[in-house]
Amino acid sequence: MNRFFSMLVVLLLGVSCLAVNTPSDPGLPSSDQISTERPKLVVGIVVDQMRYDFLTRFESKYGDGGFKRLINYGFNCRNNHFNYIPTKTGPGHASIFTGTTPNNHGIIGNSWFDRYENKSIYCTRDYGTTPLGTTSEEGQMSPRLMIGTTFSDENRLFTQMKGKTIGISIKHRGAVLPAGHSANAAYWFYGRDEGQFVSSSYYMQELPGWVKEFNSSGIIDSHMQVWNTLYPIEQYVESGPDLNEYEGGFFGKKTATFPYDLNELKEQNKGYDIIKSSPFGNSMITDFTLAAIREENLGKDEHVDVLTVSYSSTDYVGHNFGANSKEIQDVYLRLDKEIERLLNYLDEYIGPEEYVLFLTSDHGAVDVPSYLRDNKIPAGYIDYNVAKSQPRLFNINSLGNLTNFLMKSYGTTDIIQSMSNEQVFLNREKIVELKLDLVRVQEEIAREVSTYPEVMLAYSAHSMRARDFGPGIGRMLQNGFHELRSGDILIVYYPGFISSNNTGSHHGSGFNYDTHVPLIFYGFGIKPGSTDIRTEIIDVAPTISSLLGISFPNMSTGKVLDFVLD
């Protein structure tokens, strides 16, 4: 009897719980199952060449309204990395917004050698478009070489093309790739003797009136000013001495030391291009971004809009002066003020609870190798100029006697067609003519190159296709390897070794200094907090897609970071 009553109680409790949790209308989901609330605007900020430690190294000098506001009130992913090689600007921007790696989206470099056309192609070049705002080919750009959609494309599809997407950057690749295929507009800066924000006919037939007005307003010229440190230079104890041998500087100035009079140096440094290599390039981008928000009425209706902003001056300054320079510290202290200015405007124009924002970077940077070497840290340079008589072998000859190997093995050096992004492209026609086996030649050259002092690893394209690499450099190369666009041999130099000038920083490797970058989510739907759990750059797009309740980008391979969502 007791057993009978116990079973009856359990049954009644189950029915009671079912009644409580069942919607009143069994044909409709309950309100807590599906949320229709969405932000009015998504803002994706990419800071070009921002290492994670720039957040922490300069933290004591940042104000409360910029980076610190995002960290304190947003979600900070402190162990965020790129998971592929090469870590360059084009692949970085494409990966952030598509949620996948170059082996899928196809942007394997800023430029790459096209073996079928026997020439180098740029990642957003499109000669089928007409430049707008300039007559230069720098206006002939589109995202057509990028395979797959971005989350901004998926938002456009979800809103029946009513939600706007606009991309903004100094660099064309920084504006075009994040905005995606279906964007309303992408704008980038063309310097030289023009100093204009431009676009291409891929997006529109004529620049909008507000862009023309911005270009003629004098705002751009106002940034051609004297660059001195934001605070007294003696307070910049987080960076190296102002005068050192590790920095490039500007033509027309004997030393790479503050101050820099941009107007005075303009003519010897490609005209308006000098703004790019100063913090005022970032200020100009903020000016243009605020105008775009206002003039395009972003975030002002019921359809979610997407705004992508890439701050590129940090990259130009890093390449010129290096990651340990007073100049790089100053550009970040000033960028902190620009982030604050943008956040304040978004609060005022859209509302502090009405937008979601994320901030990340397209890659990090190595410290200047000569600086590392002088401090007993292994580093060095691959000399591009050793083989001027055979430019197709430009830096392989500096690593070892490849010419002799090619002549001894195959009777010719013409078996190599070109080299790009630390990848060797073989001359397929020559291999057929010599009746050689392509896979065997790939493996033989890879083994030869791997014996050279500066080379840590060399893999064949066949191994990229045939092997299943575990975590590490091999897997990162696979993630960056595109079947139709990549080379036949992939080369990895040792940490700290770069193929670049002897001054300034560089990037492109799979080592932590290039892969570890900030990732902060802030605003609508974001839970404040932080984590040291490893996240990857391809996780950004699916996370934003999940927040918006839209389809993931169609080639996305990242995961949703559900712990950042409220």
Side-chain angles (χ1 to χ4, degrees):
M1 182 68 71
N2 289 339
R3 183 178 179 186
F4 171 78
F5 280 114
S6 297
M7 292 178 63
L8 182 62
V9 169
V10 170
L11 180 62
L12 291 173
L13 284 173
V15 171
S16 174
C17 291
L18 184 63
V20 169
N21 291 317
T22 301
S24 57
D25 185 343
L28 296 173
S30 62
S31 60
D32 62 353
Q33 287 178 299
I34 296 179
S35 173
T36 57
E37 291 187 3
R38 294 181 178 87
K40 292 182 177 179
L41 178 66
V42 179
V43 182
I45 298 176
V46 182
V47 182
D48 205 324
Q49 201 187 123
M50 185 175 186
R51 295 165 29 145
Y52 179 81
D53 68 333
F54 290 162
L55 275 182
T56 55
R57 213 170 97 200
F58 308 138
E59 182 179 11
S60 65
K61 300 292 192 300
Y62 290 141
D64 293 329
F67 292 125
K68 283 185 179 179
R69 174 179 170 183
L70 297 179
I71 291 171
N72 292 336
Y73 299 99
F75 198 100
N76 183 14
C77 299
R78 296 191 294 247
N79 189 21
N80 183 63
H81 289 265
F82 282 87
N83 63 336
Y84 62 83
I85 300 171
T87 43
K88 298 289 183 72
T89 298
H93 283 79
S95 297
I96 292 165
F97 289 85
T98 62
T100 193
T101 43
N103 61 316
N104 291 317
H105 62 60
I107 304 299
I108 63 168
N110 296 333
S111 298
W112 58 86
F113 181 75
D114 188 321
R115 61 162 49 92
Y116 307 103
E117 296 189 21
N118 196 30
K119 66 178 183 180
S120 178
I121 59 174
Y122 179 67
C123 63
T124 57
R125 176 71 64 204
D126 188 348
Y127 288 114
T129 63
T130 302
L132 302 179
T134 179
T135 58
S136 168
E137 67 176 22
E138 292 298 289
Q140 293 179 287
M141 302 288 165
S142 86
R144 286 185 175 129
L145 291 175
M146 182 172 67
I147 304 166
T149 60
T150 61
F151 76 76
S152 46
D153 286 322
E154 295 299 335
N155 183 67
R156 291 274 287 158
L157 293 169
F158 184 87
T159 62
Q160 301 301 308
M161 300 297 165
K162 295 174 183 176
K164 287 185 177 180
T165 296
I166 293 179
I168 297 169
S169 179
I170 280 179
K171 297 179 179 179
H172 13 65
R173 56 188 180 271
V176 169
L177 298 173
H181 297 276
S182 60
N184 300 82
Y187 302 106
W188 53 95
F189 182 71
Y190 179 61
R192 299 294 176 126
D193 59 346
E194 296 183 23
Q196 306 277 327
F197 277 91
V198 303
S199 190
S200 88
S201 60
Y202 178 86
Y203 304 98
M204 64 200 81
Q205 294 306 306
E206 185 179 2
L207 286 179
W210 71 265
V211 177
K212 294 178 181 178
E213 183 178 344
F214 185 94
N215 284 334
S216 62
S217 67
I219 293 175
I220 294 170
D221 284 299
S222 72
H223 293 297
M224 194 72 72
Q225 54 183 279
V226 176
W227 177 18
N228 212 334
T229 53
L230 181 63
Y231 305 116
I233 196 168
E234 58 270 16
Q235 295 182 14
Y236 285 34
V237 296
E238 297 83 6
S239 49
D242 192 27
L243 180 61
N244 61 74
E245 60 186 20
Y246 311 118
E247 302 175 6
F250 295 111
F251 292 111
K253 194 172 190 301
K254 291 183 179 179
T255 59
T257 54
F258 285 103
Y260 302 96
D261 189 330
L262 302 191
N263 256 319
E264 187 178 286
L265 298 169
K266 174 181 176 181
E267 296 305 317
Q268 297 180 67
N269 292 274
K270 300 181 181 179
Y272 284 98
D273 274 6
I274 197 172
I275 297 178
K276 300 178 183 179
S277 297
S278 79
F280 308 125
N282 289 335
S283 303
M284 179 179 67
I285 287 297
T286 305
D287 292 338
F288 191 83
T289 297
L290 302 190
I293 294 170
R294 181 179 63 252
E295 298 298 333
E296 296 289 346
N297 293 312
L298 297 182
K300 284 297 186 179
D301 60 26
E302 68 274 22
H303 305 292
V304 179
D305 296 324
V306 176
L307 172 66
T308 73
V309 184
S310 181
Y311 285 105
S312 306
S313 290
T314 44
D315 183 70
Y316 288 108
V317 173
H319 280 294
N320 193 352
F321 297 96
N324 196 48
S325 64
K326 291 280 193 285
E327 287 80 0
I328 204 70
Q329 179 167 0
D330 192 69
V331 80
Y332 275 96
L333 297 184
R334 290 177 179 273
L335 177 60
D336 182 55
K337 302 297 184 185
E338 297 304 318
I339 300 297
E340 180 176 4
R341 184 156 69 106
L342 175 57
L343 290 173
N344 289 341
Y345 190 82
L346 290 169
D347 288 347
E348 177 185 349
Y349 188 78
I350 298 173
E353 305 297 328
E354 302 293 343
Y355 64 91
V356 62
L357 177 149
F358 66 84
L359 182 146
T360 188
S361 180
D362 55 347
H363 53 75
V366 66
D367 277 296
V368 181
S370 54
Y371 167 73
L372 294 175
R373 196 168 50 196
D374 288 347
N375 285 279
K376 301 181 181 180
I377 297 174
Y381 296 92
I382 314 300
D383 187 1
Y384 272 85
N385 299 313
V386 170
K388 289 182 178 178
S389 61
Q390 293 177 313
R392 290 177 303 178
L393 312 180
F394 55 88
N395 69 354
I396 289 295
N397 277 338
S398 69
L399 304 173
N401 200 346
L402 184 61
T403 298
N404 285 350
F405 172 80
L406 295 175
M407 292 301 297
K408 180 179 178 180
S409 301
Y410 314 114
T412 178
T413 61
D414 290 342
I415 204 165
I416 291 182
Q417 187 177 10
S418 188
M419 186 169 174
S420 161
N421 298 317
E422 284 70 57
Q423 298 179 19
V424 178
F425 290 79
L426 298 180
N427 187 332
R428 304 292 179 86
E429 292 182 1
K430 193 68 177 178
I431 288 174
V432 171
E433 177 187 325
L434 295 174
K435 299 181 179 179
L436 298 171
D437 179 75
L438 175 62
V439 171
R440 183 173 179 178
V441 174
Q442 288 177 348
E443 296 289 352
E444 288 172 347
I445 294 178
R447 281 196 297 271
E448 169 67 15
V449 171
S450 67
T451 66
Y452 299 157
E454 297 91 343
V455 175
M456 187 175 82
L457 297 166
Y459 291 103
S460 68
H462 174 71
S463 68
M464 291 289 104
R465 291 188 293 266
R467 291 179 58 181
D468 183 15
F469 289 93
I473 293 295
R475 173 69 59 79
M476 296 177 77
L477 284 170
Q478 275 186 320
N479 288 342
F481 178 84
H482 190 271
E483 180 75 22
L484 298 179
R485 296 178 179 179
S486 295
D488 294 277
I489 296 98
L490 289 70
I491 300 169
V492 177
Y493 302 134
Y494 278 103
F497 280 80
I498 64 172
S499 50
S500 186
N501 299 323
N502 292 346
T503 57
S505 295
H506 194 58
H507 52 87
S509 80
F511 302 116
N512 286 327
Y513 51 75
D514 280 337
T515 68
H516 189 196
V517 299
L519 175 57
I520 308 170
F521 295 91
Y522 173 87
F524 181 99
I526 301 301
K527 177 172 56 180
S530 64
T531 185
D532 289 315
I533 295 172
R534 180 184 173 95
T535 60
E536 294 181 335
I537 206 68
I538 59 173
D539 300 333
V540 176
T543 300
I544 293 295
S545 298
S546 180
L547 176 65
L548 297 181
I550 62 176
S551 293
F552 291 6
N554 58 21
M555 297 192 78
S556 174
T557 53
K559 61 184 180 296
V560 175
L561 304 178
D562 55 359
F563 48 79
V564 314
L565 301 178
D566 190 0

